[in-house]
Amino acid sequence: MTANVAGYLLQLLAGRWLGVTGYSEFASLLAVQLLCAVPALALQNVVARELVRGAGAAALRGLQWRCALIVAVVAAVLVPLVSLTLNVGVAATAAALGAAPALVLLSGEQGVLQGTKRFRALGVVLGAAGIARVAPALVVLALSGGAALALWAAAGGIAAAALLARMVAGSPSKRIRAGIEAGADAAATGVLPVLLAAQVQAALMALQSADLIVVRIVLDDVDASRYALGTIATKIAFWLPQAVGVVLYPRMAQPTQSAGAIRAALAVLSGIGLVAVLGAALAAPLAPLLAGEDYAPIQGLLWLFALHGALLAVLQGAVLSAIAVDRTSLALVTWLGLAVEVTLMLSLARSVPALITTAVSVAAATTLLVAVIVLRAADSTTRPEPLRPVG
């Protein structure tokens, strides 16, 4: 909650201080940064899963550094391409992408804490990381430093948070360090499991962020900034129930408990999403007061932005179960949803209402299909074998 509130505060104040002509660049680069954080999220899930299975923490930390190096190389290659595609500054783009390796190291340590079920320490790291990322950026923006300097300040805060996480995680207990077999370390230290989990996370995060990138192409700066501010409601509804997945993830990884854990997760996520949508509808009149009158035209659409985030939160709960049981081919459905969304937006949508309606429609269809697939798969996994006659 602390990290989420800090993130929302950054977006809200950036929208006011940068104005409707400058905020879309900042928001679009934050969306790109989120996409680059996909390997970090995948690494956290893999580290937590493999620690539960008995892998050694030292080997998994070696995996962290290999993944961070790969991400750094890819980010460097992407800087000019992203800058040209989004028509944003090279310095700002480098700052947004430059944070990706630090995010990988931070998430790796969070995976150590999650896998060893040290949830109190994990909470401390999550909250501290949110503050460390946001506070320097807010100071720069308050001093009129601009989007590029703010993004560099945020990157520095993430690096400091990664160092703090390593100190908090320390060395796990002797039982965890030892592992169950030498073979467990070998299986855990490969990059392939992270890549398989990353493509699942990438599909979800791309579906969440694609609209922010497309609006830079199809809308003018003013409407793009208004849309970007509306996505704060999307982010609130999406990130609010993250603890649900953290708590239920170990149960999802156990075949005998997977179906029940998935149903519980989807039910809780749906309930929280409904509350978020109602809250957005009731709080809509406050949007112009908080962000400025320039954003008044979108206040009636905030409930739709929140619905988008709520649907994606349910989708995340479903795809998280796929990572827990190594059923990563399920991401193909989400990739298909992403392709449909981008195609419809680029070809048909030319206004804020049309764009958010398209995003909500595609998210609803994708979430329903994925949820049905994972529930049926979980039921087939937990169904007992039929009795066979002894002959």
Side-chain angles (χ1 to χ4, degrees), residues 33 95 98-99 102 129 132-134 136-137 149-163:
Q33 188 180 81
R133 172 175 175 262
V134 169
L149 288 178
L151 288 168
W152 278 115
I158 293 171
L163 179 60

PDB file of all heavy atoms in Angstrom, residues 33 95 98-99 102 129 132-134 136-137 149-163:
ATOM      1  N   GLN A  33       9.173   1.754 -18.827  1.00  0.00           N
ATOM      2  CA  GLN A  33       9.947   1.234 -17.702  1.00  0.00           C
ATOM      3  C   GLN A  33       9.251   0.038 -17.077  1.00  0.00           C
ATOM      4  O   GLN A  33       9.901  -0.937 -16.665  1.00  0.00           O
ATOM      5  CB  GLN A  33      10.149   2.336 -16.655  1.00  0.00           C
ATOM      6  CG  GLN A  33      11.085   1.963 -15.536  1.00  0.00           C
ATOM      7  CD  GLN A  33      11.251   3.094 -14.543  1.00  0.00           C
ATOM      8  OE1 GLN A  33      10.411   3.301 -13.667  1.00  0.00           O
ATOM      9  NE2 GLN A  33      12.332   3.844 -14.676  1.00  0.00           N
ATOM     10  N   ALA A  95      17.166   7.206 -18.996  1.00  0.00           N
ATOM     11  CA  ALA A  95      16.890   7.159 -17.563  1.00  0.00           C
ATOM     12  C   ALA A  95      15.822   6.118 -17.244  1.00  0.00           C
ATOM     13  O   ALA A  95      15.948   5.342 -16.289  1.00  0.00           O
ATOM     14  CB  ALA A  95      16.438   8.537 -17.077  1.00  0.00           C
ATOM     15  N   GLY A  98      17.366   2.729 -17.977  1.00  0.00           N
ATOM     16  CA  GLY A  98      18.542   2.462 -17.146  1.00  0.00           C
ATOM     17  C   GLY A  98      18.211   1.913 -15.781  1.00  0.00           C
ATOM     18  O   GLY A  98      19.078   1.326 -15.110  1.00  0.00           O
ATOM     19  N   ALA A  99      16.962   2.081 -15.351  1.00  0.00           N
ATOM     20  CA  ALA A  99      16.566   1.552 -14.048  1.00  0.00           C
ATOM     21  C   ALA A  99      16.301   0.054 -14.083  1.00  0.00           C
ATOM     22  O   ALA A  99      16.205  -0.586 -13.025  1.00  0.00           O
ATOM     23  CB  ALA A  99      15.322   2.287 -13.548  1.00  0.00           C
ATOM     24  N   ALA A 102      18.661  -2.453 -12.082  1.00  0.00           N
ATOM     25  CA  ALA A 102      18.476  -2.313 -10.637  1.00  0.00           C
ATOM     26  C   ALA A 102      17.168  -2.953 -10.195  1.00  0.00           C
ATOM     27  O   ALA A 102      17.082  -3.552  -9.105  1.00  0.00           O
ATOM     28  CB  ALA A 102      18.515  -0.840 -10.236  1.00  0.00           C
ATOM     29  N   ALA A 129      11.186   0.622  -1.036  1.00  0.00           N
ATOM     30  CA  ALA A 129      11.510   0.763  -2.452  1.00  0.00           C
ATOM     31  C   ALA A 129      10.577   1.765  -3.132  1.00  0.00           C
ATOM     32  O   ALA A 129      11.011   2.569  -3.977  1.00  0.00           O
ATOM     33  CB  ALA A 129      11.419  -0.595  -3.150  1.00  0.00           C
ATOM     34  N   ALA A 132      11.752   5.195  -2.006  1.00  0.00           N
ATOM     35  CA  ALA A 132      13.061   5.537  -2.573  1.00  0.00           C
ATOM     36  C   ALA A 132      12.966   5.874  -4.052  1.00  0.00           C
ATOM     37  O   ALA A 132      13.733   6.696  -4.563  1.00  0.00           O
ATOM     38  CB  ALA A 132      14.032   4.364  -2.376  1.00  0.00           C
ATOM     39  N   ARG A 133      12.034   5.266  -4.746  1.00  0.00           N
ATOM     40  CA  ARG A 133      11.852   5.542  -6.174  1.00  0.00           C
ATOM     41  C   ARG A 133      11.145   6.876  -6.403  1.00  0.00           C
ATOM     42  O   ARG A 133      11.484   7.621  -7.328  1.00  0.00           O
ATOM     43  CB  ARG A 133      11.043   4.407  -6.807  1.00  0.00           C
ATOM     44  CG  ARG A 133      10.622   4.646  -8.242  1.00  0.00           C
ATOM     45  CD  ARG A 133       9.938   3.417  -8.797  1.00  0.00           C
ATOM     46  NE  ARG A 133       9.405   3.647 -10.135  1.00  0.00           N
ATOM     47  CZ  ARG A 133       8.136   3.944 -10.401  1.00  0.00           C
ATOM     48  NH1 ARG A 133       7.272   4.050  -9.397  1.00  0.00           N
ATOM     49  NH2 ARG A 133       7.722   4.130 -11.633  1.00  0.00           N
ATOM     50  N   VAL A 134      10.182   7.189  -5.561  1.00  0.00           N
ATOM     51  CA  VAL A 134       9.319   8.344  -5.803  1.00  0.00           C
ATOM     52  C   VAL A 134       9.879   9.632  -5.226  1.00  0.00           C
ATOM     53  O   VAL A 134       9.840  10.691  -5.874  1.00  0.00           O
ATOM     54  CB  VAL A 134       7.908   8.062  -5.237  1.00  0.00           C
ATOM     55  CG1 VAL A 134       7.064   9.326  -5.217  1.00  0.00           C
ATOM     56  CG2 VAL A 134       7.233   6.971  -6.060  1.00  0.00           C
ATOM     57  N   PRO A 136      12.934  11.029  -4.614  1.00  0.00           N
ATOM     58  CA  PRO A 136      13.887  11.849  -5.382  1.00  0.00           C
ATOM     59  C   PRO A 136      13.266  12.462  -6.632  1.00  0.00           C
ATOM     60  O   PRO A 136      13.567  13.611  -6.981  1.00  0.00           O
ATOM     61  CB  PRO A 136      14.994  10.847  -5.750  1.00  0.00           C
ATOM     62  CG  PRO A 136      14.859   9.732  -4.778  1.00  0.00           C
ATOM     63  CD  PRO A 136      13.402   9.634  -4.500  1.00  0.00           C
ATOM     64  N   ALA A 137      12.388  11.703  -7.297  1.00  0.00           N
ATOM     65  CA  ALA A 137      11.750  12.223  -8.503  1.00  0.00           C
ATOM     66  C   ALA A 137      10.840  13.405  -8.176  1.00  0.00           C
ATOM     67  O   ALA A 137      10.795  14.402  -8.920  1.00  0.00           O
ATOM     68  CB  ALA A 137      10.951  11.124  -9.194  1.00  0.00           C
ATOM     69  N   LEU A 149      15.407  14.497 -15.746  1.00  0.00           N
ATOM     70  CA  LEU A 149      16.080  14.503 -14.444  1.00  0.00           C
ATOM     71  C   LEU A 149      15.278  13.740 -13.402  1.00  0.00           C
ATOM     72  O   LEU A 149      15.852  13.049 -12.545  1.00  0.00           O
ATOM     73  CB  LEU A 149      16.322  15.938 -13.990  1.00  0.00           C
ATOM     74  CG  LEU A 149      17.414  16.718 -14.734  1.00  0.00           C
ATOM     75  CD1 LEU A 149      17.499  18.149 -14.203  1.00  0.00           C
ATOM     76  CD2 LEU A 149      18.761  16.017 -14.591  1.00  0.00           C
ATOM     77  N   ALA A 150      13.954  13.843 -13.473  1.00  0.00           N
ATOM     78  CA  ALA A 150      13.116  13.113 -12.521  1.00  0.00           C
ATOM     79  C   ALA A 150      13.274  11.607 -12.698  1.00  0.00           C
ATOM     80  O   ALA A 150      13.346  10.857 -11.712  1.00  0.00           O
ATOM     81  CB  ALA A 150      11.656  13.533 -12.693  1.00  0.00           C
ATOM     82  N   LEU A 151      13.343  11.164 -13.933  1.00  0.00           N
ATOM     83  CA  LEU A 151      13.514   9.733 -14.192  1.00  0.00           C
ATOM     84  C   LEU A 151      14.896   9.242 -13.752  1.00  0.00           C
ATOM     85  O   LEU A 151      15.031   8.121 -13.246  1.00  0.00           O
ATOM     86  CB  LEU A 151      13.296   9.449 -15.674  1.00  0.00           C
ATOM     87  CG  LEU A 151      11.838   9.554 -16.144  1.00  0.00           C
ATOM     88  CD1 LEU A 151      11.752   9.560 -17.664  1.00  0.00           C
ATOM     89  CD2 LEU A 151      11.001   8.405 -15.578  1.00  0.00           C
ATOM     90  N   TRP A 152      15.928  10.057 -13.928  1.00  0.00           N
ATOM     91  CA  TRP A 152      17.256   9.689 -13.437  1.00  0.00           C
ATOM     92  C   TRP A 152      17.255   9.616 -11.912  1.00  0.00           C
ATOM     93  O   TRP A 152      17.885   8.722 -11.322  1.00  0.00           O
ATOM     94  CB  TRP A 152      18.304  10.700 -13.911  1.00  0.00           C
ATOM     95  CG  TRP A 152      18.798  10.458 -15.303  1.00  0.00           C
ATOM     96  CD1 TRP A 152      18.637  11.268 -16.396  1.00  0.00           C
ATOM     97  CD2 TRP A 152      19.529   9.313 -15.768  1.00  0.00           C
ATOM     98  NE1 TRP A 152      19.213  10.700 -17.507  1.00  0.00           N
ATOM     99  CE2 TRP A 152      19.769   9.501 -17.152  1.00  0.00           C
ATOM    100  CE3 TRP A 152      19.988   8.157 -15.150  1.00  0.00           C
ATOM    101  CZ2 TRP A 152      20.457   8.573 -17.921  1.00  0.00           C
ATOM    102  CZ3 TRP A 152      20.674   7.217 -15.915  1.00  0.00           C
ATOM    103  CH2 TRP A 152      20.910   7.439 -17.279  1.00  0.00           C
ATOM    104  N   ALA A 153      16.571  10.547 -11.256  1.00  0.00           N
ATOM    105  CA  ALA A 153      16.490  10.516  -9.795  1.00  0.00           C
ATOM    106  C   ALA A 153      15.768   9.255  -9.317  1.00  0.00           C
ATOM    107  O   ALA A 153      16.172   8.617  -8.334  1.00  0.00           O
ATOM    108  CB  ALA A 153      15.769  11.772  -9.288  1.00  0.00           C
ATOM    109  N   ALA A 154      14.697   8.881 -10.026  1.00  0.00           N
ATOM    110  CA  ALA A 154      13.977   7.663  -9.677  1.00  0.00           C
ATOM    111  C   ALA A 154      14.858   6.429  -9.851  1.00  0.00           C
ATOM    112  O   ALA A 154      14.831   5.501  -9.031  1.00  0.00           O
ATOM    113  CB  ALA A 154      12.716   7.544 -10.534  1.00  0.00           C
ATOM    114  N   ALA A 155      15.672   6.412 -10.913  1.00  0.00           N
ATOM    115  CA  ALA A 155      16.583   5.283 -11.142  1.00  0.00           C
ATOM    116  C   ALA A 155      17.587   5.152 -10.014  1.00  0.00           C
ATOM    117  O   ALA A 155      17.898   4.047  -9.556  1.00  0.00           O
ATOM    118  CB  ALA A 155      17.298   5.453 -12.481  1.00  0.00           C
ATOM    119  N   GLY A 156      18.106   6.291  -9.552  1.00  0.00           N
ATOM    120  CA  GLY A 156      19.029   6.252  -8.416  1.00  0.00           C
ATOM    121  C   GLY A 156      18.361   5.723  -7.165  1.00  0.00           C
ATOM    122  O   GLY A 156      18.970   4.970  -6.386  1.00  0.00           O
ATOM    123  N   GLY A 157      17.104   6.101  -6.949  1.00  0.00           N
ATOM    124  CA  GLY A 157      16.374   5.594  -5.792  1.00  0.00           C
ATOM    125  C   GLY A 157      16.159   4.091  -5.855  1.00  0.00           C
ATOM    126  O   GLY A 157      16.241   3.396  -4.836  1.00  0.00           O
ATOM    127  N   ILE A 158      15.899   3.565  -7.052  1.00  0.00           N
ATOM    128  CA  ILE A 158      15.712   2.121  -7.214  1.00  0.00           C
ATOM    129  C   ILE A 158      17.013   1.381  -6.908  1.00  0.00           C
ATOM    130  O   ILE A 158      17.007   0.319  -6.268  1.00  0.00           O
ATOM    131  CB  ILE A 158      15.223   1.812  -8.633  1.00  0.00           C
ATOM    132  CG1 ILE A 158      13.814   2.380  -8.834  1.00  0.00           C
ATOM    133  CG2 ILE A 158      15.230   0.314  -8.895  1.00  0.00           C
ATOM    134  CD1 ILE A 158      13.323   2.313 -10.260  1.00  0.00           C
ATOM    135  N   ALA A 159      18.143   1.929  -7.347  1.00  0.00           N
ATOM    136  CA  ALA A 159      19.432   1.297  -7.056  1.00  0.00           C
ATOM    137  C   ALA A 159      19.687   1.258  -5.552  1.00  0.00           C
ATOM    138  O   ALA A 159      20.172   0.246  -5.015  1.00  0.00           O
ATOM    139  CB  ALA A 159      20.549   2.063  -7.765  1.00  0.00           C
ATOM    140  N   ALA A 160      19.358   2.344  -4.860  1.00  0.00           N
ATOM    141  CA  ALA A 160      19.528   2.365  -3.404  1.00  0.00           C
ATOM    142  C   ALA A 160      18.606   1.344  -2.738  1.00  0.00           C
ATOM    143  O   ALA A 160      18.996   0.675  -1.767  1.00  0.00           O
ATOM    144  CB  ALA A 160      19.237   3.771  -2.878  1.00  0.00           C
ATOM    145  N   ALA A 161      17.382   1.203  -3.269  1.00  0.00           N
ATOM    146  CA  ALA A 161      16.449   0.226  -2.713  1.00  0.00           C
ATOM    147  C   ALA A 161      16.955  -1.196  -2.907  1.00  0.00           C
ATOM    148  O   ALA A 161      16.756  -2.067  -2.044  1.00  0.00           O
ATOM    149  CB  ALA A 161      15.078   0.403  -3.358  1.00  0.00           C
ATOM    150  N   ALA A 162      17.617  -1.471  -4.037  1.00  0.00           N
ATOM    151  CA  ALA A 162      18.170  -2.803  -4.277  1.00  0.00           C
ATOM    152  C   ALA A 162      19.245  -3.143  -3.252  1.00  0.00           C
ATOM    153  O   ALA A 162      19.325  -4.276  -2.757  1.00  0.00           O
ATOM    154  CB  ALA A 162      18.734  -2.889  -5.695  1.00  0.00           C
ATOM    155  N   LEU A 163      20.075  -2.156  -2.923  1.00  0.00           N
ATOM    156  CA  LEU A 163      21.104  -2.366  -1.909  1.00  0.00           C
ATOM    157  C   LEU A 163      20.472  -2.633  -0.541  1.00  0.00           C
ATOM    158  O   LEU A 163      20.904  -3.530   0.200  1.00  0.00           O
ATOM    159  CB  LEU A 163      22.016  -1.141  -1.839  1.00  0.00           C
ATOM    160  CG  LEU A 163      23.134  -1.183  -0.797  1.00  0.00           C
ATOM    161  CD1 LEU A 163      24.070  -2.359  -1.057  1.00  0.00           C
ATOM    162  CD2 LEU A 163      23.921   0.126  -0.801  1.00  0.00           C
TER     163      LEU A 163
END
